[in-house]
Amino acid sequence: MDFLRPASWEEALAAKAAHPTAVPIAGGTDVMVEINFDHRRPEYLLDLNRIGDLYEWEVGEDSVRLGASVPYTRIMENLRAELPGLALASHTVASPQIRNRGGVGGNLGTASPAGDAHPALLASGAEVEVESAERGTRLIPIDEFYKGVKRNALQPDELIRAVHVKKADGPQQFSKVGTRNAMVIAVCAFGLALHPETRTVRTGIGSAAPTPVRAKAAEEFLNAALEEGGFWDNGKIITPSVAKQFADLCSAACNPIDDVRGTASYRRHAVGVMARRTLTWTWESYRGARRTTEGAA
Amino acid sequence: MRVNFTVNGRPQEADDVWEGESLLYVLRERLGLPGSKNACEQGECGSCTVRLDGVPVCSCLVAAGQVEGREVVTVEGLADYAKQRAEHGGCASGACGTSLQDAQQWAAKGQDSQTGEGTELSPIQQAFIDAGAVQCGFCTPGLLVAADEMLERNPNPTDADIREALSGNLCRCTGYEKIMDAVRLAAARQSEGV
Ligand SMILES: Cc1cc2nc3c(=O)[nH]c(=O)nc-3n(C[C@H](O)[C@H](O)[C@H](O)COP(=O)(O)OP(=O)(O)OC[C@H]3O[C@@H](n4cnc5c(N)ncnc54)[C@H](O)[C@@H]3O)c2cc1C
């Protein structure tokens, strides 16, 4: 095994181009487990820890450009206002020790259906910025990033530079089912973001299909129902039948399996429950925000 | 490969390191510092917790090559680390720290509450002894490192803060209540300046 230690982003891209089989290692919280258990013996490890750019983030007009290696702890501490869904999801990852090392770049690199960042990224809307020495930069929409169980859209010579996550324009929630509050891989997870500016709702489902997915039919149904009932304007409580239909459509968007963590039917059921709850929480907070702005006016 | 890094305030060099090796392995097998425990090797148990540039991490999940030029504090250096922090707000590199030999011979003798005899421990270590928070002791080093870091950041933790800070450290003897007591005790003593 060789240990490649690029000092800059350009050097890292050059190393990845020269050795496309090299396995990048950032926080190591996925890679080192595989090495410790002899599940993986890469020819080259490509250490990304010395590349300072990957640990920085920029808050722009519409989105946050989040460096690939920014640890979950930093996201929780610094980006709760801009990226509430991702900050909530980050807080549910493992333990402080793991959150101090692991980040969204590694979560995307692994592309596990159970990765907690994915539902939040799908719900808020995001693009993955990847780069290669030969072809330069491209932005991959998050909906096109997940290709299969632990497979993503990266080419062998590409590295993830950053994720551009849309800044929240409304309430966001993240919910996860597991046996404990800490150190738990999701049995299933759900992310929801209200986007009052476009009067749309977006979702993300984790650990209930071969890849993280959006519940698109559920989104379309809810968008239409909210529009028809004038809910965005009148701020009324969402009708229980609408919430129920939304939850059922979210369950229907799942394509889960039975495994040690849970059965397929439990996952489908739990995703529906989380969909209904997160809809209630976010809608209540949208109504609350409306009341305060109207009260102030 | 060779790895140069700072351990407990002193520069160290590890030779013949395999590229896929963990920091934990280097500490235990190459530097002779068995304080950080090797249990799950997958980041679940926290018994290998050390500080890497001040931040608590599972040393089993850090590749040895990633620590080149960086600073690591292990449980063996915790007493000195806490002392320097209390007296000078930190350690100016090289001036303090725990030598490899001292670290290798380190033993938790503690101070006898009656006679005052024994080695000086960090406040969190003394609190673990006083509160009876050690059973088999395997999880203790990781808990000490994690708890000490929390008290540095958050001198007046709520129970929820303590639980969250220690949520990455498992005690298979399930002695969590005494561990909570120990951290509360250390926090109380810290705020009284004892
Ligand atoms: C005990 C434990 C508990 C965990 N609990 C959770 C949990 O609750 N939720 C959760 O989502 N995850 C969990 N994980 C998994 C892991 O912590 C996350 O997936 C984390 O986001 C990985 O980030 P990392 O920086 O450590 O990745 P690494 O291990 O360094 O890398 C992961 C993968 O991404 C690739 N990669 C990393 N950076 C880049 C880059 N810039 N460009 C291209 N490829 C890259 C690597 O080659 C590798 O394939 C847990 C892990 C452990 C050990």
Side-chain angles (χ1 to χ4, degrees):
Chain A
M1 196 186 290
D2 259 340
F3 198 82
L4 308 172
R5 207 181 283 154
S8 68
W9 178 241
E10 288 67 34
E11 272 180 48
L13 291 176
K16 190 69 171 124
H19 310 287
T21 59
V23 173
I25 176 165
T29 61
D30 281 319
V31 173
M32 286 304 288
V33 174
E34 291 187 313
I35 293 177
N36 288 348
F37 283 79
D38 240 332
H39 294 158
R40 203 167 188 180
R41 276 281 172 279
E43 225 180 320
Y44 300 94
L45 273 181
L46 178 63
D47 177 30
L48 301 177
N49 276 194
R50 298 209 298 162
I51 304 166
D53 299 345
L54 298 181
Y55 291 84
E56 286 168 12
W57 64 87
E58 297 141 44
V59 178
E61 190 84 353
D62 304 315
S63 65
V64 175
R65 181 173 184 243
L66 180 70
S69 298
V70 174
Y72 292 116
T73 306
R74 291 274 99 73
I75 298 173
M76 288 157 52
E77 288 170 352
N78 300 287
L79 294 167
R80 200 165 276 278
E82 295 84 355
L83 311 177
L86 187 62
L88 283 169
S90 300
H91 206 152
T92 74
V93 173
S95 65
Q97 287 92 325
I98 304 296
R99 295 196 291 268
N100 285 338
R101 293 284 294 162
V104 176
N107 218 229
L108 289 167
T110 300
S112 157
D116 287 319
H118 312 315
L121 296 177
L122 286 165
S124 37
E127 288 176 317
V128 185
E129 179 185 336
V130 305
E131 193 172 340
S132 65
E134 202 188 343
R135 299 177 309 283
T137 299
R138 65 183 177 120
L139 288 174
I140 308 174
I142 194 70
D143 299 74
E144 291 161 29
F145 187 79
Y146 309 109
K147 292 297 188 193
V149 179
K150 300 202 172 182
R151 283 193 300 115
N152 61 32
L154 281 183
Q155 295 298 317
D157 62 345
E158 285 177 328
L159 292 173
I160 303 169
R161 170 64 186 79
V163 196
H164 298 248
V165 192
K166 288 253 164 56
K167 274 161 72 175
D169 62 319
Q172 302 188 346
Q173 272 295 345
F174 176 82
S175 186
K176 168 174 167 180
V177 175
T179 43
R180 264 184 89 189
N181 258 336
M183 200 59 89
V184 102
I185 303 179
V187 175
C188 51
F190 192 81
L192 182 72
L194 302 187
H195 299 286
E197 278 175 16
T198 47
R199 300 195 160 191
T200 54
V201 171
R202 277 176 68 117
T203 57
I205 298 175
S207 231
T211 66
V213 288
R214 278 169 66 194
K216 287 200 179 146
E219 292 175 11
E220 280 161 22
F221 160 76
L222 187 59
N223 289 342
L226 292 178
E227 199 57 58
E228 242 165 66
F231 286 92
W232 293 104
D233 292 318
N234 61 29
K236 281 200 183 135
I237 295 177
I238 290 186
T239 334
S241 63
V242 169
K244 166 136 197 340
Q245 178 74 2
F246 174 68
D248 289 347
L249 288 167
C250 287
S251 290
C254 300
N255 181 15
I257 55 166
D258 293 330
D259 68 9
V260 288
R261 280 178 283 136
T263 61
S265 70
Y266 175 72
R267 287 187 158 102
R268 233 178 249 117
H269 171 74
V271 163
V273 173
M274 289 190 290
R276 185 168 42 73
R277 285 188 190 159
T278 52
L279 176 59
T280 312
W281 295 334
T282 48
W283 191 255
E284 278 311 303
S285 117
Y286 171 71
R287 294 175 68 221
R290 269 184 85 258
R291 276 197 297 272
T292 9
T293 44
E294 281 183 359
Chain B
M1 66 179 173
R2 169 176 295 181
V3 181
N4 288 286
F5 64 124
T6 303
V7 183
N8 298 323
R10 305 284 174 93
Q12 304 295 348
E13 185 178 288
D15 269 321
D16 299 322
V17 174
W18 174 60
E19 287 71 15
E21 207 162 293
S22 68
L23 168 60
L24 177 63
Y25 192 90
V26 172
L27 292 170
R28 292 177 59 86
E29 309 298 334
R30 309 222 179 260
L31 300 180
L33 300 177
S36 311
K37 297 296 174 229
N38 183 12
C40 76
E41 296 194 296
Q42 51 181 319
E44 302 253 355
C45 76
S47 58
C48 67
T49 302
V50 301
R51 307 237 341 224
L52 174 60
D53 288 343
V55 175
V57 303
C58 291
S59 58
C60 73
L61 299 183
V62 177
Q66 294 186 299
V67 302
E68 176 72 33
R70 300 174 72 175
E71 296 200 12
V72 172
V73 175
T74 70
V75 71
E76 290 96 339
L78 200 61
D80 182 72
Y81 187 81
K83 186 164 175 237
Q84 298 301 329
R85 178 175 60 214
E87 291 174 2
H88 316 290
C91 174
S93 225
C96 46
T98 309
S99 75
L100 202 54
Q101 206 194 356
D102 285 347
Q104 284 165 350
Q105 291 167 359
W106 194 89
K109 295 204 198 69
Q111 252 169 330
D112 190 299
S113 55
Q114 313 291 317
T115 64
E117 278 167 15
T119 350
E120 201 178 335
L121 297 177
S122 68
I124 189 69
Q125 288 168 316
Q126 191 65 48
F128 264 61
I129 293 177
D130 296 344
V134 181
Q135 292 188 57
C136 86
F138 207 82
C139 67
T140 310
L143 278 161
L144 291 171
V145 174
D148 179 70
E149 191 268 348
M150 181 202 59
L151 290 172
E152 176 180 305
R153 253 187 308 119
N154 180 0
N156 295 305
T158 62
D159 279 5
D161 294 339
I162 301 174
R163 283 181 194 282
E164 172 153 1
L166 303 185
S167 61
N169 296 78
L170 297 183
C171 169
R172 298 280 81 176
C173 307
T174 67
Y176 294 108
E177 287 308 321
K178 298 282 184 191
I179 292 167
M180 292 292 293
D181 288 346
V183 181
R184 289 187 203 111
L185 178 63
R189 285 177 176 168
Q190 181 173 280
S191 65
E192 284 169 9
V194 183

